[in-house]
Amino acid sequence: MKKTLIALAVAGVSSVTQAAEIYSLDGVTVDLSGEVDVQYYKSQDKSQHSEWNVNEAKFGFDMTYEMTEDLAVGSHMDVNANDEEDNGSVSRGDVYGKIVYLQSHTISFGSQPTILDDSGIGDDYEFGFTSFVDSANNEGDQVIKYKYDGGEMFYGGLAYLENQNNNSSTSSDDDYQIDGDLGARIDDFDITVFLAHAQNNGIDVSTYDLEIRYLYGDWQFATTYGESSTEQEGASDRDKSTYGLTASYNDGGRFEYAAGWAVVETNHSISSAVPNGDVNDFYFNVTYSLSNEVAIYAEVGLTDNNDEETGYVIGLDTTF
């Protein structure tokens, strides 16, 4: 769900960077894309020290075969080189097949994110607002997803994630998630509603999120209201709500500025180790685009959560 300013910032220099075409013959096209993002990062966790962090290190191949003018089939594969759980070894990322009809209807199936992964209004790097989906599982190896976007007024999608034949001790074969979105572009407004329901290791999770964006010249404003509720037998149920406001400004050159503020409300049905109450979060960042593919950024994240402190990150991001 991480939203970055890289694409927005480089758009102020010229067009957004596209994947590099490395092969095209007899209707078959192969594109190569990648990203490396290296940071000096201090999380808001008081027990953590600042560190050099490889946030992204990946490349991917996208193969498409044009069967007719209206229909194409293909596949996508990512390779990640920053998998901390595997001590930095290379690992497989998203791998899925896809069918594209009229360049607006896309069905994909395999290892990939769900629709809910697209939610979030913040043009942030590390300190955005995702509390309303913290309990959801927004990617998996068994996902089928449909998306429609013809560049017109309405767009939307639906995804289903299942967990069959999984041997993990932290999940169950009965786990699943279904989520989707519906959006409308009206003049300078972009309005999107996300809905999701999941069962995760015996916990029922329901999520709702409304996002409204407004473009005014070089400014983009956005607001969101998100809500997540969890229910489980023999333990505390929880409701969490997030209210957020963000703004970003492109100076027409190489600089992009963004800020956001959110209030997170938590309510447990019975006593819990995590107290009820409100938490205020705020972030500010600036991005400087050296070229279409290279950008430097800095971000500060503030919070009044008693268990956390101010976090910051400085990074260099390169894409192709």
Side-chain angles (χ1 to χ4, degrees), residues 230-262:
T230 61
E231 299 179 1
Q232 54 185 321
E233 294 184 5
S236 173
D237 296 338
R238 188 201 68 185
D239 293 326
K240 181 176 283 189
S241 301
T242 302
Y243 308 81
L245 296 171
T246 65
S248 61
Y249 171 73
N250 190 305
D251 68 355
R254 296 181 180 273
F255 279 99
E256 180 95 12
Y257 307 90
W261 168 71

Side-chain angles (χ1 to χ4, degrees), residues 96-112:
Y96 55 85
K98 61 180 180 178
I99 301 172
V100 182
Y101 179 65
L102 292 175
Q103 297 184 343
S104 56
H105 302 268
T106 302
I107 297 176
S108 54
F109 38 89
S111 178
Q112 59 182 322

Side-chain angles (χ1 to χ4, degrees), residues 160-213:
Y160 179 73
L161 179 157
E162 63 179 9
N163 198 52
Q164 296 296 320
N165 301 313
N166 193 301
N167 297 321
S168 172
S169 60
T170 61
S171 59
S172 165
D173 281 357
D174 295 329
D175 289 357
Y176 72 90
Q177 179 164 310
I178 182 169
D179 58 45
D181 70 338
L182 180 63
R185 304 180 183 99
I186 305 172
D187 295 328
D188 294 324
F189 286 91
D190 190 348
I191 304 169
T192 313
V193 175
F194 292 87
L195 295 171
H197 182 77
Q199 180 173 296
N200 188 359
N201 203 25
I203 303 174
D204 289 324
V205 183
S206 298
T207 299
Y208 162 84
D209 180 38
L210 171 65
E211 301 176 359
I212 302 175
R213 294 174 174 82

Side-chain angles (χ1 to χ4, degrees), residues 249-310:
Y249 171 73
N250 190 305
D251 68 355
R254 296 181 180 273
F255 279 99
E256 180 95 12
Y257 307 90
W261 168 71
V263 178
V264 181
E265 298 179 350
T266 303
N267 180 40
H268 292 270
S269 60
I270 58 178
S271 61
S272 171
V274 180
N276 295 331
D278 299 347
V279 173
N280 287 270
D281 290 316
F282 175 82
Y283 74 84
F284 172 79
N285 62 44
V286 58
T287 303
Y288 179 75
S289 296
L290 299 171
S291 70
N292 288 356
E293 298 84 12
V294 183
I296 300 171
Y297 61 88
E299 180 174 86
V300 175
L302 306 172
T303 181
D304 62 2
N305 189 333
N306 292 332
D307 297 327
E308 296 181 324
E309 62 184 2
T310 299

